[in-house]
């Protein structure tokens, strides 16, 4: 698996650092971020966001928080992923 680094939280101080990569073969976005707090996870898991879709967070998934200041980095990652996947 080859990851293409796209960006890191510009306010990173050397500790935990939200980061975005694109996996080269699949063009999937790979995100590192702060795990959501219990109240946010409860809201996400307790709401039926799509009618007929099971509510909850499956054991193999989690909810993460990415700072708004990283929006431009996420846009760039989406562009990279689209190009890598041949979608544009």
């Amino acid at each position: 698996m080859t990851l293409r680094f796209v960006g890191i939280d510009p306010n990173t101080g050397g500790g935990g650092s939200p980061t975005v990569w694109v996996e080269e073969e699949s063009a999937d976005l790979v995100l590192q971020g702060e795990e959501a707090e219990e109240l946010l996870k409860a809201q996400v898991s307790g709401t039926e966001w799509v009618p007929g879709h099971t509510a909850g967070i499956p054991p193999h998934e989690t909810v993460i928080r990415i700072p708004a200041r990283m929006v431009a980095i996420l846009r760039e990652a989406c562009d990279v992923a689209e190009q890598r996947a041949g979608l544009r």
Side-chain angles (χ1 to χ4, degrees):
M1 170 187 341
T2 303
L3 295 175
R4 176 176 172 174
F5 172 79
V6 177
I8 194 167
D9 182 351
N11 287 2
T12 286
S17 42
T19 308
V20 181
W21 302 266
V22 174
E23 200 271 312
E24 290 285 349
E25 289 76 29
S26 67
D28 288 345
L29 296 179
V30 178
L31 305 173
Q32 175 183 323
E34 180 181 326
E35 185 172 358
E37 62 274 8
E38 291 305 315
L39 182 60
L40 180 56
K41 285 198 265 186
Q43 180 182 6
V44 168
S45 68
T47 304
E48 183 184 40
W49 297 100
V50 177
H53 193 275
T54 304
I57 302 169
H60 65 282
E61 296 181 0
T62 192
V63 176
I64 64 169
R65 182 183 291 276
I66 299 291
R69 63 185 167 265
M70 293 183 68
V71 168
I73 294 168
L74 288 171
R75 279 193 192 106
E76 180 183 348
C78 290
D79 290 343
V80 168
E82 280 185 329
Q83 290 169 358
R84 187 76 189 142
L87 300 174
R88 54 179 233 186

